[in-house]
Amino acid sequence: MSEVQTMRGGIDSSQLGRVLVHEHIFVMNPEFVANYRLDFDEEAAIDGAVAELDGLKALGIDTIIDLTVLGLGRNIPRIARVAERTALNIVVATGAYTFDHVPEPFGFWGPGLLCDAPSEPMADLFIRDITEGIAGTAFKAGELKCAIDKPGMTAGVERVMRAVARAHMATRVPISVHTAPSIQSGLDAQRVFAEEGVDLCDVIIGHSGDSTDLDYLMRVADQGSILGMDRFGIDFVINTAERVSTIVELIKRGYADRLALSHDCASWADYLPTNELRHQLLPDHRYHHVCRKVVPALLESGVSQRDVDTMLIDNPRRHFEGSAKRFRERK
Ligand SMILES: [Zn+2]
């Protein structure tokens, strides 16, 4: 057992219940929204999020990890207004989301840069989010997040990744990384994390579910990390049937304890011109898809309820407990 920080404060890891490991509530570029999405109605967006998250709770999900970090429009006061009205646990994250450069404010600020710093300022800020609270609030981050996509291990991506690894080593908080399995970037992330001393068991390799390449997925999982089968409903990459059959095959090969489920979904997002269009183009990309369609499809394909529970309950719990245990052992 260990304490996990949520928007309700610290809870025991045994209280996490069924967890969707990679979700969002609001995803946006705040400057774009302020200038070009004049339809954004804060109150309506909050009401909509509460209704959708309550619906998820009614389907049996107890916790989501909201991986909205710097670069995706993190706004903790807005999340707090949602969290106080829903029974769902929300774990929020710190870190940064970039595929190439460091976030602009760090371009000239850091060790050896114009504004020289004795230590990596991103790591220091991420640690503050975890230990003191985010943006002057009492809400603490319970997860660390970074990304590596098609451009690969650029200098900026590597700097963020090492900052995330250092924040992990200094705290008990585990890591989730956005990857692009088409270029096998999960392996690149694992290499950098390992160089920083991270136990790869404490990492979720996100978006692994975008791949049907079993050899690649097993190589990642064999190093101890959890595979994020976490984009259910994003059918234009690969469809639900392909995502399900990849999980079925991995479970047959003994990997049930290395898989976690999710959608990478948001209640409100600006990556398509309107929410209506988003729902029209991605009809299954909603919070209820895993419960309503994916779990029944897995069970029909011969996956046991025990294995479903392993993916939704045991693996996310171990993600937090294992990281906390190793942190204690390091001290
Ligand atoms: Zn995401």
Side-chain angles (χ1 to χ4, degrees):
M1 296 206 296
S2 63
E3 192 180 63
V4 178
Q5 291 298 325
T6 75
M7 290 298 288
R8 228 183 292 292
I11 66 169
D12 191 83
S13 51
S14 63
Q15 303 303 305
L16 290 167
R18 290 188 177 74
V19 183
L20 296 178
V21 297
H22 187 138
E23 301 294 345
H24 302 273
I25 300 176
F26 309 108
V27 170
M28 65 180 77
N29 173 328
E31 186 184 14
F32 175 75
V33 170
N35 286 283
Y36 300 112
R37 282 296 296 268
L38 304 183
D39 63 315
F40 178 68
D41 176 338
E42 172 110 19
E43 299 306 316
I46 289 170
D47 289 346
V50 170
E52 287 197 57
L53 296 179
D54 282 350
L56 193 51
K57 178 72 182 175
L59 284 168
I61 298 296
D62 304 290
T63 303
I64 61 166
I65 306 179
D66 177 357
L67 290 176
T68 310
V69 294
L70 191 65
L72 291 167
R74 187 178 71 174
N75 182 318
I76 292 301
R78 187 180 291 139
I79 299 298
R81 294 192 54 206
V82 173
E84 67 189 17
R85 288 172 52 195
T86 181
L88 198 82
N89 295 317
I90 302 166
V91 175
V92 294
T94 186
Y97 180 86
T98 180
F99 293 173
D100 38 49
H101 308 293
V102 288
E104 298 289 340
F106 301 102
F108 298 103
W109 177 24
L113 298 175
L114 177 66
C115 177
D116 201 359
S119 60
E120 171 56 68
M122 281 186 282
D124 298 340
L125 294 174
F126 301 159
I127 291 167
R128 189 171 81 188
D129 284 351
I130 290 165
T131 57
E132 294 175 31
I134 300 169
T137 71
F139 302 109
K140 295 175 180 168
E143 183 79 26
L144 280 152
K145 156 92 175 273
C146 56
I148 174 167
D149 205 280
K150 298 266 169 58
M153 192 66 74
T154 66
V157 162
E158 182 169 349
R159 192 176 151 201
V160 171
M161 198 167 279
R162 291 191 189 278
V164 159
R166 282 167 204 175
H168 163 78
M169 296 302 284
T171 66
R172 62 183 62 238
V173 166
I175 299 172
S176 196
V177 53
H178 164 116
T179 65
S182 60
I183 58 156
Q184 306 200 337
S185 68
L187 295 168
D188 298 317
Q190 286 182 318
R191 175 181 57 75
V192 168
F193 288 141
E195 283 172 10
E196 293 289 335
V198 175
D199 187 314
L200 297 176
C201 295
D202 297 335
V203 180
I204 294 177
I205 301 296
H207 309 333
S208 295
D210 282 357
S211 175
T212 57
D213 180 348
L214 293 167
D215 290 335
Y216 165 69
L217 296 173
M218 289 189 298
R219 275 178 75 195
V220 173
D222 285 341
Q223 298 202 63
S225 302
I226 291 174
L227 302 173
M229 311 308 271
D230 55 12
R231 278 182 148 182
F232 275 102
I234 305 189
D235 288 346
F236 67 88
V237 182
I238 59 172
N239 65 32
T240 296
E242 291 168 303
R243 292 175 191 276
V244 165
S245 59
T246 304
I247 292 177
V248 170
E249 190 54 39
L250 285 166
I251 290 175
K252 273 189 202 154
R253 296 181 186 202
Y255 288 90
D257 67 345
R258 301 288 158 83
L259 302 169
L261 306 179
S262 215
H263 307 92
D264 195 9
C265 191
S267 172
W268 197 98
D270 67 356
Y271 58 79
L272 285 170
T274 66
N275 263 349
E276 290 69 30
L277 191 59
R278 191 162 62 87
H279 296 325
Q280 201 181 314
L281 294 172
L282 294 165
D284 282 332
H285 197 219
R286 305 297 289 261
Y287 292 129
H288 51 66
H289 184 52
V290 162
C291 292
R292 288 206 180 138
K293 294 193 186 159
V294 174
V295 169
L298 287 166
L299 294 171
E300 257 170 49
S301 307
V303 170
S304 67
Q305 184 61 49
R306 180 86 279 279
D307 286 336
V308 170
D309 291 344
T310 297
M311 294 187 283
L312 284 174
I313 302 170
D314 302 346
N315 295 346
R317 181 177 171 178
R318 194 184 73 241
H319 177 58
F320 291 102
E321 290 181 353
S323 183
K325 175 173 166 277
R326 278 178 276 279
F327 174 70
R328 286 194 299 272
E329 288 166 358
R330 278 197 296 274
K331 288 188 91 177

